[in-house]
Amino acid sequence: MSYWDIEKECMSRNELELLQTRRLKEAVYRMYAFVQPYKEKMDEAGIKPDDINSLADLKLLPFTTKKDLRDNYPFNLFAVPMGDVIRIHSSSGTTGKPTVVGYTRKDIDIWSELMARALCSAGASKRSVIQNAYGYGLFTGGLGVHYGAEKLGASVIPSSGGNTKRQIMLMQDFGTTVLTCTPSYALFMYEEMLEMGVKPEELQLKSGIFGAEPWSENMRKEIERCLQIDAYAIYGLSEIIGPGVAIECASKDGLHIAEDHFIVEVIDPITEEILSEGEQGELVISAVTKEALPMIRYRTGDLTVLNKETCACGRTHIRMQKVLGRSDDMVIIRGVNVFPSMVESVLLQIPGVEPHYLLVVDRQGTLDILEVQVEVSELVFSDEVRKLEELGAHIRRELESALGVAVKVRLVEPKFLERSEGKAKRVIDKRKL
Ligand code: DLL
């Protein structure tokens, strides 16, 4: 077992909570003094920094949401003068203004440290050759992983997303041992390998560190089988820092949240009531050591379950279950909540089905219609029509029993659905167009 910083990663819960309390208090003072919009929220709630004396007092503080970031676009939530900001990242912002995040030099140092810790927890070391195919640019994936990999002392190949044939050539020629990208892009690379006649077992690739989008356990198995690697999940979001908020260890039984920097809660997304350990709800994170953009009680929109038990790896930091979806990706079909990852999980257990799918939601009259488009393998596709129909009906039955809602299944030919080099698009909701 290797750790990047055993003292921090394995500190006793008692010690950790003392550290968190101190850091929370400091963050609240800084926010109250330097972030006018948050001060106003605190004033409205009748809370002063002196009221926050323990972790239990966290619940007194107002939440922060994506809307707060948008309303204060671009820099109004920054707690430092622009002269101290050395990096700015931003979300793609498909609807409305993008969210903008800033970092001081110390923030970048902490982020790099946390990313080095994350890579190490997923088995990477200074001997690794890390091909970083997360997009470089405003997205936090590319540069976030890059700085961490350098800090770790690994050899980084900053390949960024795209140009898939070249990615594979680099993997072959530079002896890549660790691949970092979205899980959907990893599968796309595999398809390209097959087309180029490259056999994954002839590569040096040992592991992959995948995140930035939801992926099911069955998708993990599929990627591990196809690429013949160990696949680890990494979680993060730009508003909190970027990748490196949480990472799996060798046990692959939940992602350890870097609790020395992030204080987490899980709430009921509707009532905002704080839930107990083990209950599923929305993850809320306070980023208490960030200088440029400290965050108190940020509502991530991501649904998960927390687990405080000490892990077999010895790390004491709380584990979050792999995020199976965020409230925005959830589609409500006739009152039933459906996450793309639930569909994925069912599909990948059916032989002949490829790990490429799309949910298309439409409305006919007053009725919601969910169509699941599924790619089938070449072999299946060239089979008799009757067999295809049987497969379609089988998929429909499996989906309907897992989701509890009627589904239309459309089998499509291999490579029919658009491939992604970053975050995959899994849902088209025509009701919203
Ligand atoms: O996706 C940061 C990142 C980069 C994480 C590279 C991991 C690897 P954003 O673009 O701000 O930041 O998107 C954040 O992506 O709220 C989740 O909904 C989703 N997400 C991130 N990691 C995972 C994961 C980056 N492992 C949003 N599983 C988050 C499921 C994930 N969803």
Side-chain angles (χ1 to χ4, degrees):
M1 198 68 68
S2 59
Y3 308 95
W4 174 252
D5 185 345
I6 192 163
E7 274 181 25
K8 298 270 165 43
E9 292 170 72
C10 302
M11 72 202 298
S12 74
R13 298 276 332 158
N14 224 346
E15 239 184 311
L16 186 61
E17 284 171 15
L18 282 173
L19 178 68
Q20 288 185 322
T21 310
R22 180 165 57 77
R23 290 184 163 171
L24 170 66
K25 286 174 62 148
E26 284 166 8
V28 172
Y29 275 107
R30 274 188 294 125
M31 300 255 320
Y32 197 77
F34 303 121
V35 185
Q36 185 62 25
Y38 198 75
K39 175 182 186 293
E40 283 165 18
K41 277 194 174 201
M42 283 178 63
D43 286 342
E44 239 168 72
I47 301 294
K48 291 274 176 281
D50 279 341
D51 298 332
I52 307 303
N53 295 303
S54 70
L55 290 179
D57 294 335
L58 186 59
K59 64 174 179 301
L60 304 174
L61 290 160
F63 290 108
T64 307
T65 63
K66 212 181 193 78
K67 183 171 180 302
D68 292 312
L69 280 146
R70 294 220 169 101
D71 291 349
N72 290 289
Y73 176 86
F75 307 138
N76 266 351
L77 292 183
F78 286 12
V80 297
M82 281 309 278
D84 292 341
V85 172
I86 66 160
R87 176 102 65 81
I88 292 165
H89 280 285
S90 165
S91 75
S92 50
T94 36
T95 50
K97 287 280 190 198
T99 45
V100 180
V101 297
Y103 304 78
T104 63
R105 190 169 302 282
K106 188 171 162 216
D107 292 336
I108 295 287
D109 285 347
I110 289 178
W111 189 15
S112 311
E113 187 73 26
L114 291 182
M115 263 313 308
R117 191 195 279 184
L119 293 167
C120 183
S121 164
S125 72
K126 68 188 292 281
R127 289 174 299 284
S128 302
V129 178
I130 301 182
Q131 185 162 331
N132 184 21
Y134 285 113
Y136 281 63
L138 285 172
F139 175 52
T140 52
L143 287 174
V145 172
H146 184 102
Y147 273 58
E150 280 191 353
K151 181 112 200 171
L152 182 68
S155 315
V156 201
I157 309 169
S159 59
S160 193
N163 206 338
T164 311
K165 287 202 163 56
R166 191 185 61 184
Q167 299 270 6
I168 290 152
M169 185 193 80
L170 294 173
M171 256 180 230
Q172 287 180 297
D173 297 349
F174 295 2
T176 303
T177 59
V178 179
L179 174 65
T180 53
C181 62
T182 57
S184 53
Y185 193 39
L187 274 180
F188 182 16
M189 286 193 196
Y190 170 67
E191 284 186 326
E192 204 69 43
M193 280 179 200
L194 294 186
E195 228 156 67
M196 291 165 71
V198 174
K199 295 199 180 78
E201 61 269 27
E202 288 166 3
L203 298 171
Q204 304 295 313
L205 211 57
K206 302 279 179 298
S207 62
I209 302 173
F210 305 124
E213 64 184 9
W215 51 310
S216 61
E217 270 313 301
N218 286 333
M219 181 66 99
R220 186 207 308 266
K221 285 190 203 132
E222 183 74 9
I223 294 178
E224 292 190 328
R225 184 183 65 79
C226 292
L227 288 174
Q228 309 209 354
I229 57 172
D230 256 328
Y232 296 91
I234 180 164
Y235 169 83
L237 61 166
S238 16
E239 296 87 333
I240 292 304
I241 205 163
V245 172
I247 182 76
E248 279 180 339
C249 60
S251 313
K252 293 185 191 163
D253 184 19
L255 291 82
H256 290 280
I257 299 173
E259 277 192 287
D260 43 341
H261 296 273
F262 310 117
I263 304 176
V264 290
E265 305 161 272
V266 162
I267 61 164
D268 178 322
I270 314 278
T271 62
E272 298 188 339
E273 175 204 347
I274 299 171
L275 302 178
S276 329
E277 187 191 337
E279 286 185 295
Q280 191 189 53
E282 177 178 347
L283 183 67
V284 172
I285 311 182
S286 299
V288 287
T289 52
K290 284 256 292 302
E291 285 183 336
L293 187 62
M295 271 295 164
I296 299 288
R297 304 194 87 198
Y298 184 72
R299 289 192 58 169
T300 63
D302 294 325
L303 300 177
T304 190
V305 178
L306 296 177
N307 173 5
K308 263 194 194 162
E309 271 170 45
T310 305
C311 179
C313 76
R315 287 179 180 82
T316 47
H317 290 189
I318 207 165
R319 278 172 287 166
M320 60 184 270
Q321 242 174 37
K322 229 151 153 255
V323 170
L324 287 184
R326 46 183 299 116
S327 12
D328 316 6
D329 292 337
M330 186 178 80
V331 286
I332 304 178
I333 311 291
R334 280 164 262 151
V336 178
N337 300 347
V338 175
F339 283 106
S341 56
M342 293 155 78
V343 171
E344 177 180 296
S345 205
V346 173
L347 292 178
L348 292 185
Q349 290 182 62
I350 302 174
V353 169
E354 296 287 301
H356 303 285
Y357 63 95
L358 180 70
L359 278 63
V360 182
V361 188
D362 208 349
R363 183 164 286 151
Q364 280 176 3
T366 53
L367 197 64
D368 295 326
I369 307 287
L370 169 64
E371 177 182 271
V372 178
Q373 301 185 354
V374 193
E375 277 187 21
V376 290
S377 67
E378 198 75 59
L379 203 70
V380 172
F381 203 73
S382 52
D383 221 328
E384 304 161 30
V385 176
R386 187 181 54 83
K387 288 215 171 123
L388 267 182
E389 280 173 358
E390 275 172 14
L391 178 63
H394 175 57
I395 297 175
R396 182 175 53 74
R397 279 194 304 273
E398 293 291 312
L399 283 174
E400 288 181 346
S401 92
L403 306 177
V405 64
V407 178
K408 258 172 75 179
V409 171
R410 182 171 156 211
L411 300 184
V412 297
E413 62 191 296
K415 313 262 162 81
F416 176 85
L417 298 173
E418 200 186 320
R419 298 295 189 258
S420 112
E421 294 165 353
K423 296 182 190 247
K425 189 165 177 53
R426 301 293 192 195
V427 181
I428 296 180
D429 196 338
K430 294 185 174 168
R431 298 172 302 186
K432 291 186 186 155
L433 296 181

